Amino acid sequence: MIQSMTGFGKTSIQFEGKSVNIEIRTLNSKQLDLSVRLAPLFREKENEVRNCVSKELQRGKIEVSIYIEKTEKPQVEVDTELAKAYYQKLVLLSQEVGNPIDSDIFCQVLRLPDVITSSREELTDALWEAVLSALEETCAKVVAFRQEEGSHLAKDFSKRIQLINDMVEEITPYEQNRIVAIRNKFESSLSELPVQYDENRLEQEIIFYLEKLDITEEKVRLKKHCSYFMDTMNEAQSQGKKLGFIVQEIGREVNTTGSKANDFNIQQIVVKMKDEVEKLKEQLANVL
């Protein structure tokens, strides 16, 4: 089953008085392009986050955000004795240097070191295990989203591959008419020349010329490539790059058919086939 590289997942957990939110967004990219934004409490775990996400999501432009919404009031402490000591010293200093006592010394005291402190949070093993589990759950949601998008892409691919197969069959009647037209053209041109020619040699030359224009092998290979594309698309593992290579081969056979066609009707069909091939290439840019 193919997967799109476009995906989204979000998980929220409540733990130790905190609400931890995890969001993952993915877009298409040829390689893994991983961007991680973490709350300060989790920054030491960035490598673990990267390893987990890259293992589960493999490829694409991926943005990971882990942030905290506190559900408890923060613990703030004021060192009253230290603040008084600072204040008294600043008042004495102001008197000595002639600084107005009514200046806002109190606000300056509040900015001094260790007057106001908040409890420093430590990342516990239990919290990190809960966050890591939630991260894996979020990755699973992204994969499910990608698979859903991939199912829509698969329907579109199937339709276009079937169109190419149908157009290969449309070529056949024009191919037979082309041979007759080329033979008649040779014979008509030679009949206007005032010379005698060897009819056996003419037949050999016509056969040799028609062999160069024969597109039977291209048609056979084209249908095999289309069948191979469908088989690969239905494999359990998404194979975006491999499907891209197969479409390149389909395009090569279509181009060769067009260069050998030597017939307006066949050329029109080839143009339609090229249009379908280009649409396949555009959509495959978003397949994992």
Side-chain angles (χ1 to χ4, degrees):
M1 177 186 292
I2 65 173
Q3 293 184 31
S4 167
M5 277 192 281
T6 301
F8 175 77
K10 181 176 180 179
T11 305
S12 297
I13 61 171
Q14 304 294 326
F15 197 91
E16 295 180 351
K18 302 177 184 65
S19 176
V20 182
N21 300 295
I22 301 172
E23 289 186 6
I24 300 179
R25 302 176 187 272
T26 66
L27 296 171
N28 61 312
S29 176
K30 290 183 179 180
Q31 306 296 332
L32 176 64
D33 182 4
L34 181 56
S35 173
V36 178
R37 291 183 296 176
L38 302 177
L41 185 62
F42 303 124
R43 282 176 185 165
E44 64 184 78
K45 299 294 185 178
E46 181 173 343
N47 285 338
E48 288 187 48
V49 172
R50 287 181 174 276
N51 291 337
C52 176
V53 173
S54 60
K55 178 183 176 182
E56 298 295 330
L57 303 183
Q58 302 176 27
R59 188 161 64 96
K61 181 178 176 59
I62 304 172
E63 295 180 358
V64 181
S65 298
I66 303 179
Y67 55 95
I68 299 174
E69 294 178 358
K70 295 182 180 179
T71 56
E72 292 182 348
K73 293 182 179 180
Q75 299 297 318
V76 177
E77 300 290 338
V78 178
D79 191 332
T80 307
E81 295 303 319
L82 180 62
K84 289 179 179 179
Y86 277 136
Y87 183 82
Q88 291 169 359
K89 290 292 184 183
L90 289 176
V91 169
L92 290 175
L93 179 61
S94 296
Q95 292 173 346
E96 289 183 12
V97 299
N99 183 59
I101 299 298
D102 58 355
S103 63
D104 202 352
I105 296 176
F106 180 74
C107 289
Q108 297 176 28
V109 168
L110 295 180
R111 299 191 186 98
L112 293 173
D114 301 324
V115 174
I116 299 177
T117 58
S118 59
S119 57
R120 183 177 179 83
E121 292 183 300
E122 297 291 338
L123 178 59
T124 63
D125 291 340
L127 173 58
W128 177 242
E129 287 298 324
V131 171
L132 190 58
S133 178
L135 179 62
E136 292 172 350
E137 180 184 343
T138 309
C139 288
K141 291 178 181 178
V142 173
V143 171
F145 192 109
R146 283 178 159 187
Q147 289 174 343
E148 179 65 24
E149 290 291 310
S151 66
H152 295 303
L153 289 174
K155 291 177 183 178
D156 185 71
F157 291 153
S158 298
K159 181 182 73 174
R160 300 198 184 283
I161 290 295
Q162 186 58 51
L163 285 172
I164 293 173
N165 268 322
D166 292 343
M167 284 186 275
V168 172
E169 297 301 328
E170 290 178 18
I171 289 175
T172 302
Y174 296 116
E175 189 179 5
Q176 298 299 324
N177 295 336
R178 180 190 61 158
I179 293 173
V180 174
I182 291 173
R183 183 183 295 276
N184 291 338
K185 182 178 179 180
F186 270 118
E187 292 176 350
S188 175
S189 298
L190 287 172
S191 65
E192 296 176 358
L193 296 176
V195 293
Q196 296 293 325
Y197 59 87
D198 186 338
E199 293 185 1
N200 291 330
R201 179 60 184 275
L202 174 62
E203 187 68 22
Q204 291 175 359
E205 293 296 331
I206 290 176
I207 292 172
F208 179 72
Y209 182 74
L210 291 176
E211 284 179 351
K212 288 186 175 181
L213 299 181
D214 184 59
I215 56 175
T216 302
E217 290 185 10
E218 284 73 17
K219 288 165 58 183
V220 171
R221 285 197 294 266
L222 190 50
K223 292 183 76 69
K224 286 185 176 179
H225 289 326
C226 288
S227 177
Y228 187 34
F229 182 97
M230 293 300 297
D231 291 341
T232 303
M233 187 179 71
N234 292 322
E235 289 180 1
Q237 188 73 19
S238 186
Q239 302 277 0
K241 289 185 177 181
K242 186 176 180 180
L243 290 173
F245 296 144
I246 297 172
V247 168
Q248 286 181 8
E249 294 302 316
I250 291 175
R252 187 172 289 111
E253 298 302 335
V254 171
N255 289 334
T256 305
T257 300
S259 65
K260 286 186 173 184
N262 199 27
D263 179 88
F264 177 73
N265 293 310
I266 295 179
Q267 288 285 8
Q268 282 188 313
I269 296 173
V270 166
V271 169
K272 294 178 182 178
M273 294 168 75
K274 287 182 177 180
D275 184 46
E276 296 302 326
V277 169
E278 287 304 311
K279 289 176 181 177
L280 284 170
K281 288 181 179 179
E282 288 175 7
Q283 293 284 48
L284 279 170
N286 196 36
V287 174
L288 181 64

